[in-house]
């Protein structure tokens, strides 16, 4: 809304959202709300520090990095640097604690008070979907709303943990085979081959600006077996996002200042749950048609993009986009269709599909003059 106002477009319904959205009947004191309003990333100094644990962490860093250093002189400099960092870290803690720059007993009391209310009344405190607001919900309501989302059998289904282990083994075999075939260089293979992976976790962000406070499902895929590969593919597809219909930021709309709407209309559309409603098979076909256009006299097998044939690239996309398993509330689920919000490929596929809808269908097949 602020961005539209900056562009000279009047908006009569602009409001200032509160930093705290409490959707429960539990009351918090003014001091507790003030602390929560600082946001979930606000941190404070602890009462004490475990010096042995901190020292062991610095020693662990030295042990892991030392084999990568090729000379004793550099190794000694690195060791001295780590030693100084450790000393500065410890001394700064005791200095700041004495000067009370960041440390406050009142904050500890407030934090403990908030924790007690959360545990006693079964609450959950999370970030809002938009902005930096902090949202307080009953955990039972939060779980119920998430289960309502997961009950859509066209998008999700419950599976066993074995499904995840089997996919990991097959994915590793896929990468090994094509690395031997020269599709991936040694450095690329090292970056994308999964080791020590974790199972993605789904969570929801409350849409406080909508009635009933629905949740936006987010899939945290960092550390999953195909996350690095998805990022690698995303870099290859970045060029396909470029289109007139894409506004990267508010600066992309600066042309509106000098535009006259006397002979036309300014129209804005909203797609409901865009990421989860992206038709994966159709979007994959759109991508393949753009990367591997039909060329007279050239066989599809002879066409390559970034060293990959059409078949290999399609399978690569499927590994990152289809049959993703995740955990919610200690149960395993499989995403059947749609793109997970949290995947590195999600915003890229959303742009590609919406470009196709707008430019290849609506704009091209209409007599109206779109700008």
């Amino acid at each position: 809304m602020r961005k539209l106002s900056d562009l000279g477009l009047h908006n009569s319904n602009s409001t200032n959202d509160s930093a705290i959205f409490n959707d429960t009947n539990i009351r918090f004191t003014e001091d507790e709300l003030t602390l929560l309003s600082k946001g979930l990333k606000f941190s404070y100094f602890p009462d004490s520090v475990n010096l042995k644990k901190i020292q062991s962490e610095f020693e662990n860093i030295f042990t892991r990095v030392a084999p990568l250093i090729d000379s004793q002189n550099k190794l000694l400099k690195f060791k001295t640097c780590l030693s100084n960092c450790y000393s500065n870290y410890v001394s700064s803690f005791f200095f700041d604690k004495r000067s009370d720059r960041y440390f406050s007993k009142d904050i500890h009391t407030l934090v403990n008070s908030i924790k007690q209310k959360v545990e006693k009344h079964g609450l959950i405190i999370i970030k809002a979907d938009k902005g930096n607001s902090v949202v307080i919900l009953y955990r039972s309501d939060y779980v119920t709303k998430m289960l309502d989302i997961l009950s859509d059998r066209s998008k999700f289904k419950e599976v066993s943990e074995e499904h995840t282990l089997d996919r990991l083994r097959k994915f590793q075999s896929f990468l090994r085979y094509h690395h031997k075939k020269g599709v991936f260089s040694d450095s690329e293979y090292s970056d994308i081959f999964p080791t020590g992976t974790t199972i993605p976790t789904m969570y929801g962000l409350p849409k406080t600006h909508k009635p009933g406070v629905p949740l936006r499902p987010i899939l945290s895929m960092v550390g999953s077996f195909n996350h690095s590969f998805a990022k690698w593919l995303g870099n290859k597809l970045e060029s396909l996002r470029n289109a007139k219909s894409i506004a990267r930021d508010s600066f992309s709309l600066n042309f509106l200042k000098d535009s006259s709407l006397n002979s036309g209309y300014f129209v804005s559309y909203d797609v409901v749950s865009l990421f989860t409603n992206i038709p994966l098979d159709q979007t994959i076909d759109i991508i393949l048609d753009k990367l591997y256009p039909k060329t007279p006299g050239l066989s599809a097998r002879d066409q390559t993009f970034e060293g990959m044939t059409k078949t290999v690239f399609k399978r690569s996309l499927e590994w990152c986009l289809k049959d993703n398993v995740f955990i919610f509330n200690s149960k395993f689920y499989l995403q059947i269709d749609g793109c997970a919000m949290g995947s590195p490929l999600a915003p890229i596929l959303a742009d590609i599909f919406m470009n196709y809808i707008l430019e290849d269908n609506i704009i091209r097949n209409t007599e109206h003059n779109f700008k």
Side-chain angles (χ1 to χ4, degrees):
M1 293 180 179
R2 177 186 57 79
K3 291 180 180 179
L4 290 177
S5 299
D6 292 341
L7 291 169
L9 300 177
H10 177 66
N11 175 39
S12 60
N13 296 320
S14 61
T15 58
N16 293 321
D17 293 331
S18 172
I20 305 293
F21 185 91
N22 188 353
D23 198 35
T24 72
N25 296 323
I26 308 304
R27 298 191 63 179
F28 289 79
T29 67
E30 195 66 33
D31 288 339
E32 290 171 342
L33 293 176
T34 299
L35 178 59
L36 287 173
S37 68
K38 295 180 181 295
L40 299 182
K41 292 184 178 180
F42 173 75
S43 61
Y44 58 93
F45 267 43
D47 291 314
S48 60
V49 293
N50 188 332
L51 297 180
K52 289 185 177 180
K53 183 177 180 180
I54 294 174
Q55 185 177 2
S56 66
E57 291 292 340
F58 275 91
E59 290 174 350
N60 184 41
I61 294 174
F62 178 79
T63 302
R64 294 174 63 181
V65 176
L68 305 177
I69 300 177
D70 55 6
S71 72
Q72 288 296 321
N73 186 34
K74 291 180 180 179
L75 187 64
L76 180 60
K77 288 182 178 180
F78 178 66
K79 186 176 182 179
T80 303
C81 179
L82 278 182
S83 179
N84 291 336
C85 287
Y86 169 76
S87 298
N88 291 335
Y89 181 90
V90 174
S91 61
S92 65
F93 168 78
F94 289 107
F95 173 78
D96 290 330
K97 184 175 180 179
R98 286 194 304 270
S99 61
D100 199 30
R101 288 177 60 192
Y102 306 104
F103 178 85
S104 173
K105 292 183 178 179
D106 292 337
I107 291 181
H108 285 272
T109 302
L110 289 173
V111 169
N112 290 332
S113 176
I114 293 172
K115 285 182 177 180
Q116 289 174 5
K117 288 182 179 180
V118 167
E119 294 174 1
K120 179 180 179 180
H121 301 286
L123 308 179
I124 182 172
I125 301 177
I126 51 179
K127 177 184 176 296
D129 176 48
K130 294 182 178 179
N132 295 318
S133 299
V134 173
V135 183
I136 306 171
L137 301 172
Y138 288 111
R139 181 174 292 276
S140 57
D141 291 345
Y142 171 81
V143 172
T144 299
K145 290 178 180 181
M146 286 298 298
L147 291 179
D148 284 343
I149 295 173
L150 296 174
S151 65
D152 184 351
R153 295 298 175 232
S154 66
K155 304 293 182 184
F156 309 99
K157 73 173 182 179
E158 193 172 337
V159 294
S160 65
E161 185 177 3
E162 286 298 319
H163 190 92
T164 300
L165 299 175
D166 183 54
R167 272 178 56 78
L168 173 59
R169 288 190 289 266
K170 290 180 179 178
F171 178 67
Q172 290 173 327
S173 298
F174 171 82
L175 294 181
R176 287 194 197 98
Y177 176 79
H178 290 291
H179 175 233
K180 292 178 180 179
K181 290 289 184 178
V183 173
F184 310 118
S185 66
D186 290 342
S187 60
E188 288 174 331
Y189 180 72
S190 176
D191 290 337
I192 64 180
F193 190 83
T195 56
T197 62
T198 59
I199 300 176
T201 303
M202 178 167 279
Y203 61 94
L205 295 181
K207 302 178 183 181
T208 57
H209 57 290
K210 293 190 176 182
V213 196
L215 300 178
R216 184 188 300 278
I218 307 291
L219 192 58
S220 178
M221 300 191 68
V222 177
S224 62
F225 74 86
N226 55 4
H227 184 259
S228 296
F229 192 42
K231 289 175 63 178
W232 183 81
L233 282 175
N235 292 330
K236 308 295 182 186
L237 297 175
E238 193 65 35
S239 61
L240 299 183
R241 303 178 73 178
N242 299 325
K244 294 181 180 179
S245 57
I246 294 296
R248 299 287 183 185
D249 48 44
S250 60
F251 296 106
S252 305
L253 302 176
N254 280 338
F255 72 92
L256 292 174
K257 289 182 177 180
D258 303 320
S259 299
S260 174
L261 299 180
N262 294 330
S263 60
Y265 300 92
F266 181 78
V267 182
S268 176
Y269 293 101
D270 179 41
V271 181
V272 178
S273 302
L274 173 59
F275 286 10
T276 54
N277 283 319
I278 295 173
L280 288 183
D281 288 328
Q282 183 180 359
T283 307
I284 289 174
D285 288 339
I286 293 169
I287 291 172
L288 296 176
D289 289 341
K290 290 181 178 295
L291 297 181
Y292 302 90
K294 292 183 180 179
T295 306
L298 184 63
S299 171
R301 292 184 177 181
D302 296 329
Q303 279 186 297
T304 61
F305 173 77
E306 296 288 342
M308 289 182 280
T309 63
K310 185 175 182 179
T311 302
V312 174
F313 201 90
K314 180 180 181 180
R315 188 67 187 116
S316 297
L317 288 172
E318 290 174 341
W319 270 116
C320 296
L321 297 171
K322 289 190 169 185
D323 297 334
N324 283 311
V325 177
F326 60 89
I327 296 177
F328 175 74
N329 207 27
S330 301
K331 291 185 178 181
F332 293 85
Y333 293 88
L334 173 71
Q335 183 162 1
I336 301 171
D337 195 17
C339 198
M341 187 169 182
S343 167
L345 287 173
I348 300 175
L349 261 69
D351 284 347
I352 292 173
F353 181 71
M354 292 308 298
N355 290 342
Y356 170 78
I357 293 295
L358 289 171
E359 298 191 356
D360 294 1
N361 287 273
I362 298 178
I363 297 177
R364 183 177 297 178
N365 299 318
T366 183
E367 59 185 10
H368 298 289
N369 183 23
F370 283 89
K371 293 183 178 180

